[in-house]
Amino acid sequence: MESPPYRPVILQVLPALDAGGIEQGTIEMADAIIRAGGTALVASAGGRLVPRLRHVGALHLQIDLRSKNPLTILANARRLARLIADHDVALVHARSRAPGWSAALACRRTGIPLVTTWHGVYRENVPGKRRYNAVMASGRRVIAISAFIAGRLARDYGVGPDRLRLIPRGADTAWFDPDSVRGPRMQALAEQWGLPDDAAIVMLPGRITPWKGQALLLDALARMETAGGCGRNWACVFVGPARTRDRHGQALLRAVEAHPALRGRVHFAGHCADMPAAFALADVVVVPSLHPEPFGRVVVEAQAMARPVIVAAHGAAMETVTDGETGLTVPPGDADALALAIRHVLAMPPQDSAALGQAARASVLAQYTTAAMQYATLVVYDELLGSTLAWQFAATADLTDTTGSDDAE
């Protein structure tokens, strides 16, 4: 009699389940594990995305893993070790440093494999920070979300090709599909945000924080108007949450009010639950991050929606945007270059703008889909467990491309 397929229990650990790329990736992988026949557990402090996690069929275990205090990390390691034993966990996947330390200690105690995903551009600006970061390079497999991150892991943390796997993040191209977004969804957002009907929309998606470049975009738009404008009426929308009593947000508001060319044309949308409709409203999506992005999911999502994008030319943006073909790149922090790029896109004939957007979507479909990321990560689990999760997932998914599973060089 043929043995039933091995259905492993996979535990993912992260600080919390609020908005963000780490959280989104966690839910996507929980969904993939379950579709492949496994059991998906997630340990975190909770958050507003817990219902979405439960909706895909995963079990959430409330453990606050956010503390960097060594004693708390040790206590959390003991909690995770008990959880691993109680639920017969076969593998732990850590996505952040403090939870990663607890997970690494728990895996050492229980003898099960640890997979880590290096999501951020972690700094090493204080003594001991490099050692703290290093836990994310300690897994039996270490996943880099871009070639930019893979290069740093190999160079600075000595992660060799036997352990390093390059698996870019992806966009859900069924959700981020321009053909699926109808006018009422777009109109609802335009009315909610108070956007003028005749304006070209310049959009910056991302949390309201200095390094995302909102102030740089305001500077660029002001310079564009001072130099004669772009020949069209325009409005700028910042789509993303801000911290309570945020000084940066208040400074942006003051800058808008202080400049006649910006006053009345800049809108702060806050968190948006319907990003496909938001991107569909945009004539150009600008991501002028002042520091290198480790991947930049919003860029790929905007490209999946066939929107022209303008990005700062550093970090992983150089992988997802080919200048002049799938978007435009500008030197980081250069307001004049950004102004020229925005003017160029807004002055494009409609057919040229559409062609740029279509090339961007084609690139995402070929290289950066959620399904390809899920499949490649399941391949990593299979390497360590001897399971067939990737094969079983492939039977349920539309895998247009699986090149993300290639080993990093």
Side-chain angles (χ1 to χ4, degrees):
M1 179 180 293
E2 185 176 337
S3 299
Y6 176 33
R7 303 184 183 277
V9 180
I10 309 295
L11 169 65
Q12 299 180 83
V13 297
L14 71 162
L17 276 167
D18 291 311
I22 294 175
E23 293 85 347
Q24 180 65 26
T26 299
I27 294 171
E28 289 166 350
M29 282 313 305
D31 179 51
I33 292 163
I34 291 163
R35 288 168 63 186
T39 299
L41 310 180
V42 174
S44 83
R48 64 181 185 82
L49 293 181
V50 169
R52 280 187 57 192
L53 179 74
R54 290 176 176 153
H55 179 73
V56 304
L59 174 64
H60 181 257
L61 302 158
Q62 190 91 8
I63 303 178
D64 192 340
L65 300 167
R66 294 173 292 187
S67 176
K68 300 176 183 178
N69 182 291
L71 293 178
T72 304
I73 285 173
L74 287 171
N76 282 334
R78 290 192 290 271
R79 294 187 184 98
L80 287 178
R82 288 196 297 270
L83 186 156
I84 288 166
D86 291 345
H87 292 269
D88 196 22
V89 171
L91 178 148
V92 177
H93 188 166
R95 296 180 173 275
S96 186
R97 290 168 292 177
W101 276 104
S102 295
L105 294 169
C107 287
R108 187 181 305 168
R109 179 175 299 181
T110 57
I112 69 168
L114 173 69
V115 172
T116 56
T117 295
W118 189 294
H119 284 276
V121 183
Y122 303 135
R123 298 185 181 183
E124 301 171 356
N125 54 341
V126 295
K129 196 66 174 289
R130 186 182 182 90
R131 172 61 178 157
Y132 179 63
N133 296 344
V135 70
M136 299 308 293
S138 70
R140 291 196 200 176
R141 294 295 184 272
V142 180
I143 297 172
I145 64 172
S146 64
F148 169 67
I149 293 298
R152 184 179 179 191
L153 282 164
R155 181 184 65 249
D156 298 342
Y157 290 85
V159 182
D162 57 325
R163 293 192 297 124
L164 185 56
R165 299 292 180 268
L166 170 56
I167 306 178
R169 305 297 84 187
D172 181 343
T173 52
W175 176 237
F176 289 96
D177 179 356
D179 292 336
S180 71
V181 178
R182 300 290 181 254
R185 286 168 61 184
M186 299 166 61
Q187 185 63 30
L189 285 182
E191 292 176 358
Q192 177 184 333
W193 297 342
L195 303 181
D197 292 337
D198 63 340
I201 304 301
V202 180
M203 183 174 293
L204 195 165
R207 184 177 296 277
I208 304 297
T209 191
W211 78 273
K212 288 294 186 181
Q214 288 94 358
L216 178 68
L217 177 55
L218 293 181
D219 188 8
L221 291 170
R223 293 179 189 223
M224 181 179 76
E225 285 300 294
T226 301
C230 63
R232 302 174 64 182
N233 184 28
W234 58 265
C236 173
V237 186
F238 294 134
V239 183
R243 294 185 180 89
T244 305
R245 299 177 183 175
D246 178 59
R247 291 184 180 180
H248 178 59
Q250 294 301 315
L252 294 174
L253 288 171
R254 290 193 296 271
V256 169
E257 289 303 312
H259 202 293
L262 302 178
R263 199 176 302 133
R265 303 175 89 170
V266 179
H267 305 260
F268 292 80
H271 172 73
C272 176
D274 191 355
M275 284 306 298
F279 286 133
L281 282 171
D283 291 86
V284 60
V285 175
V286 183
V287 184
S289 308
L290 303 183
H291 302 306
E293 292 277 4
F295 178 71
R297 182 189 290 264
V298 295
V299 176
V300 171
E301 290 173 345
Q303 290 178 303
M305 287 298 298
R307 297 297 87 194
V309 297
I310 302 172
V311 301
H314 54 179
M318 300 300 290
E319 301 165 43
T320 56
V321 178
T322 302
D323 188 48
E325 296 181 17
T326 63
L328 299 181
T329 64
V330 295
D334 190 330
D336 286 324
L338 183 56
L340 288 172
I342 294 169
R343 177 191 290 174
H344 174 72
V345 172
L346 295 186
M348 278 183 172
Q351 64 271 22
D352 291 350
S353 177
L356 188 65
Q358 288 301 324
R361 179 168 171 81
S363 174
V364 172
L365 289 171
Q367 302 178 79
Y368 300 113
T369 67
T370 296
M373 179 277 292
Q374 291 169 313
Y375 175 86
T377 306
L378 293 175
V379 168
V380 171
Y381 298 165
D382 289 342
E383 289 178 7
L384 296 170
L385 299 177
S387 51
T388 58
L389 291 171
W391 179 83
Q392 294 176 80
F393 174 78
T396 73
D398 178 16
L399 295 175
T400 57
D401 184 84
T402 58
T403 55
S405 63
D406 289 348
D407 294 356
E409 297 296 330

